[in-house]
Amino acid sequence: MKVNRAIFAIATLTMSFSLPVWAEKSLHKHLTLPASKVMALHAETAVRNLTINTQPNGNVIQVTAYLPNNNSHESGYVFELVQTQEAAELKAYPSQREHAVMDLEVLLPDFVELILVDDASHITLNNLSAKANIQDGAGDLIMSQVENVTIMDKSGDIHIDNQGLEKYSYIKIQDGSGTISIAKVRGDVTINDKSGSIAISDIKGNVNVNDGSGDIVVQQVSEGVIINDGSGDIIVHSSDSLAVLESGSGSLSYEAVKGEVIVK
């Protein structure tokens, strides 16, 4: 079936994103923890902006917290980093019900796994080679060069772009609402989504999408594509095989599928 290529151009544009622009900020606190015996970081956060990067051959966990220059409520936050057995625990959130204004930067050794429970931060993750498990309430998630990520998200957009990463990756997402865009993954992608549009492109693996509502655009997948859809249009371009087990309401278009096509 023919596909409107203009739609693919639009879908490609949704893959682009911009990093958050932070207000002018001043140092609040800086914490470090030796990581030689740490296997994972358990983080509980509720901040404005959270950025996590990794450091090859690093041996310490570094956490830096910032407050805007016009804010002096240093005592209004729980902010601590401690070690318990083989895990490090990070807590950074308001001590009372007040608006989160703290910005947080975390630098991890590349062997430390990440287990993150976040309230409503704008989260940016870069270069995570160890496993990451993320439970997010609200706020956008922006990721680049992440290898093995499992996400449980209530609301907010999710953008993953692994351009430049040559290692095998696995992306698994369970999402409530918000758009999802994933690009350039050398591995499998699994999505269970309630609502919001989904755009997936350039995947060297399998794609499995279970969607409640919202349009789905999938293109350039080296292996098979499986879709269960409630409502919204479905567009698939270039895959090894295609199985639409439930097309729901909305149009279905596909082309350049090399192997078997199953539509139920």
Side-chain angles (χ1 to χ4, degrees), residues 67-87:
L67 286 170
N69 286 336
N70 61 355
N71 190 295
S72 60
H73 299 295
E74 296 187 5
S75 62
Y77 274 83
V78 173
F79 182 51
E80 60 184 31
L81 177 66
V82 298
Q83 183 173 349
T84 59
Q85 296 182 346
E86 293 184 345

Side-chain angles (χ1 to χ4, degrees), residues 5-76:
R5 296 185 181 279
I7 296 178
F8 281 108
I10 294 172
T12 301
L13 288 175
T14 65
M15 296 293 181
S16 63
F17 53 82
S18 58
L19 296 177
V21 177
W22 290 14
E24 294 211 9
K25 54 194 180 181
S26 59
L27 179 64
H28 173 34
K29 285 185 179 180
H30 181 73
L31 303 176
T32 62
L33 182 70
S36 59
K37 297 182 180 180
V38 172
M39 302 300 295
L41 172 66
H42 296 252
E44 183 179 352
T45 57
V47 296
R48 183 175 56 177
N49 295 301
L50 170 62
T51 299
I52 300 177
N53 295 297
T54 60
Q55 181 180 21
N57 304 315
N59 57 11
V60 296
I61 298 171
Q62 301 179 45
V63 183
T64 306
Y66 300 91
L67 286 170
N69 286 336
N70 61 355
N71 190 295
S72 60
H73 299 295
E74 296 187 5
S75 62

Side-chain angles (χ1 to χ4, degrees), residues 14 19 36 65 78 84 93 116 121 134 153 197 204 234-235 260:
T14 65
L19 296 177
S36 59
V78 173
T84 59
Y93 47 80
L116 172 63
S121 309
I134 300 167
D153 181 55
S197 62
K204 300 295 190 296
I234 301 172
I235 299 173
E260 184 178 28

Side-chain angles (χ1 to χ4, degrees), residues 35 38-40 52-61 107-114 126-132 145 147-148 167:
V38 172
M39 302 300 295
I52 300 177
N53 295 297
T54 60
Q55 181 180 21
N57 304 315
N59 57 11
V60 296
I61 298 171
L107 184 62
L108 288 177
D110 56 4
F111 60 86
V112 175
E113 296 183 8
L114 173 65
N126 301 308
N127 305 310
L128 297 186
S129 54
K131 291 181 180 179
Q145 296 192 334
E147 292 185 24
N148 295 287
K167 296 181 180 179

Side-chain angles (χ1 to χ4, degrees), residues 146-158:
V146 292
E147 292 185 24
N148 295 287
V149 177
T150 299
I151 299 169
M152 294 183 64
D153 181 55
K154 289 184 178 179
S155 65
D157 297 343
I158 299 173

